[in-house]
Amino acid sequence: MGKIVLVGDKYTVSLFEIMGAEGIILEDPYQLENSLISLKKREDVDLVLVTKDIYDPVREKVDPVISGQTKPLITVIPSPYSESAPMDVRKMVLRALGFG
């Protein structure tokens, strides 16, 4: 089973690390594109979660990196600092496993 990696702010990364995920803290959203490109090359990663507050400022720049990506699955999640609709974790996990 592959790893889950969270890319986001220090607080959210810390919470996911407590649950066993790997974390990458980004202070500057403009580092996101390079982080995603390097994560796409890793064979041990199945799911990459990016916090919405890191993704939103650079959406246009990273969407080409994310679009059509199946392994690892890259998806945006809300953070404590963003307003967003609740995420469907079941759907996200099924997609990561190749069933959605």
Side-chain angles (χ1 to χ4, degrees):
M1 183 171 193
K3 293 182 180 181
I4 297 173
V5 178
L6 177 81
V7 180
D9 61 272
K10 184 167 68 170
Y11 176 76
T12 309
V13 167
S14 297
L15 291 174
F16 274 76
E17 285 177 335
I18 289 170
M19 295 185 287
E22 186 176 321
I24 298 173
I25 298 170
L26 291 183
E27 300 292 332
D28 180 7
Y30 292 96
Q31 298 172 338
L32 180 59
E33 183 179 17
N34 291 334
S35 295
L36 292 178
I37 290 170
S38 71
L39 286 168
K40 285 172 60 172
K41 296 176 184 175
R42 288 182 47 185
E43 292 291 323
D44 64 329
V45 176
D46 282 339
L47 179 62
V48 177
L49 305 172
V50 179
T51 57
K52 189 171 179 354
D53 56 314
I54 296 294
Y55 167 77
D56 280 344
V58 292
R59 170 179 282 176
E60 294 81 23
K61 194 169 185 171
V62 298
D63 274 348
V65 176
I66 294 174
S67 66
Q69 185 67 27
T70 56
K71 173 113 175 43
L73 174 65
I74 301 171
T75 191
V76 179
I77 64 167
S79 74
Y81 308 109
S82 62
E83 291 185 25
S84 182
M87 65 180 175
D88 186 349
V89 175
R90 182 176 180 273
K91 183 177 178 181
M92 183 176 64
V93 170
L94 287 174
R95 185 172 168 209
L97 297 173
F99 296 107

